[in-house]
Structures are given as C-alpha cells and as structure tokens.
C-alpha cells in the first residue's frame, strides 16, 4: 500500500517561497505508471490541481496555467520524494496543500498525503 | 482547460432520502469522471471512478451515471455517515479539474 508523508512549514511570509516535501513509501518516484501531484484546497477556491512530475523514460513536469510562472515540482530520486516550490506567495495562496499520487492504470487521485495548512502572513 | 460545473452548492436531506448531485463538463470527456467524498479535516476519498464504477469498499447505495456531458452521483437511502462534501473530478486530461463541491447537510 502506497503512503505519502508531507513535511514543511505552515507559515510563510508574503513574497517568499513556499516549500513542501512529500516522501513516498511503497512505490518509487521513478515509477513508469505513477505521477506525483500537488493539489491545494481553500474555502474560496475549492480543490485546485497545481501540477505534477512523472517519469516515462525521462522526466516530465506539467503545471496549472494560473501558477505556471511561480511553481516548480521536482523529483528527488535519492530520497524517493518530490518537492513543491511556490514563489512570490500572497495571502491568496493560503490553503491546505496535499501531495497526491495518480496511477495511469487507475486514473484517479490516490493516495493523498495528510495535508499541510500553509498560511501566508507577515 | 476543462471546467467542471457542479450543482447544487449545498443541499439539506434526511436519513433515508435519495440524493443526486450533478456535474457538467465544458467539453467531451467521455466517462473520465471520478467522485470523492470529503469529511471535515480528512482527505477526499474515492467513491466512484470512470463515471459509474463503484470503488472497492464503497457502499452500494452510491452510484454514478453519465449522459453526454452531464455526470450524476446518486445516494440511495442516505445514511448518517453520508453527511459530507462531494466533489467530481475529470481525469480526461491535465490540468485536472474538480467541481466546486456539494455539501450534504442534515435537514
């Protein structure tokens, strides 16, 4: 059974960079069938897919248009994890952030990390 | 990008009621729709995949259907454990998108 464990700070100052890490247990970040995603949730914006990283003979990254200029998702094969960096944050980026797996053989989001409430405030 | 328009935003119902929630896709997504249930403080839990297939372990009172661009989640015989928020999600193509959510509350 695949499990994801998130880590990272819960408070980020405006204009700074939000950084979160997601450790993978029971699968590998280099899986040829899985994709590793970041999704966030806020009362005002609901569930928003931010982007993903996946390996299919080489690494691919895809990002949502509304954050494309500010986001980077990177795999870390040495630690079997992946990371999220969101630059130049504003209070509108305050949300619960989830790392989420997605397998091409099933086409649904599973498993989910435990979620991290990130508040953007000075 | 594909938009998923979910309705209603909320509904009040009683135990034993039949409840339906609808999502409309902004373009043809075949049957690439999943339905999740979320309770406060918890992560979304998959109920239905590929529009109408019941996830293993999900109660049989949940069902999904599709008609063109419209997708429906039905709960037949609402149980106390079913009061929660429900989301549709399209898995046809990235960027993956969710509906706005439907909160099912006790009448």
């Amino acid at each position: 059974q695949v499990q994801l464990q998130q880590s990272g700070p819960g408070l980020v100052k405006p204009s700074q960079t939000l950084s979160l890490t997601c450790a993978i247990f029971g699968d590998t970040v280099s899986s040829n069938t899985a994709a590793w995603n970041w999704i966030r949730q806020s009362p005002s914006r609901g569930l928003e897919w931010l982007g993903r990283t996946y390996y299919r003979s080489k690494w691919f990254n895809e990002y949502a248009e509304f954050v494309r200029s500010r986001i980077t998702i990177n795999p870390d094969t040495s630690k079997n994890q992946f990371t999220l960096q969101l630059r130049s944050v504003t209070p509108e980026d305050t949300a619960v952030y989830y790392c989420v797996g997605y397998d091409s053989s099933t086409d649904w989001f599973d498993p989910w990390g435990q979620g991290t409430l990130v508040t953007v405030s000075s | 990008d594909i938009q998923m328009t979910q309705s209603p935003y909320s509904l009040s119902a009683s135990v034993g009621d039949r409840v339906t929630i609808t999502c409309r896709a902004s373009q043809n997504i075949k049957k690439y729709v999943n339905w999740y249930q979320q309770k406060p403080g918890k992560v979304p839990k998959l109920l239905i995949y590929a529009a109408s297939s019941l996830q293993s372990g999900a109660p049989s009172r949940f069902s999904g259907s599709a008609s063109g661009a419209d997708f429906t989640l039905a709960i037949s015989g609402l149980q106390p454990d079913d009061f929660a928020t429900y989301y549709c999600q399209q898995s046809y193509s990235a960027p993956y998108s969710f509906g706005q959510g439907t909160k099912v509350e006790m009448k």
Side-chain angles (χ1 to χ4, degrees), chain B residues 8-81:
Chain B
Y9 177 75
S10 65
L11 64 89
S12 297
S14 301
V15 172
D17 285 353
R18 175 180 169 83
V19 165
T20 59
I21 299 166
T22 298
C23 266
R24 173 165 291 177
S26 61
Q27 64 185 71
N28 179 17
I29 58 171
K30 300 181 181 180
K31 294 196 172 183
Y32 287 89
V33 167
N34 304 315
W35 289 95
Y36 300 83
Q37 176 194 67
Q38 188 179 31
K39 296 183 178 179
K42 301 294 186 181
V43 304
K45 173 185 169 184
L46 181 72
L47 292 174
I48 300 287
Y49 63 94
S52 59
S53 296
L54 188 68
Q55 170 67 341
S56 174
S60 58
R61 61 182 178 273
F62 291 95
S63 63
S65 62
S67 177
D70 292 332
F71 300 87
T72 300
L73 173 71
I75 311 172
S76 299
L78 197 66
Q79 296 299 301
D81 191 50

Side-chain angles (χ1 to χ4, degrees), chain A residues 6-7 14 16 26 36 42 60 62 65 72 74 93-94 102 112:
Chain A
Q6 300 178 217
S7 59
Q16 294 193 343
W36 306 103
S42 64
F60 293 88
E62 292 178 324
E65 181 62 37
T72 302
N74 279 327
D93 293 310
T94 294
Y102 189 100
W112 295 65

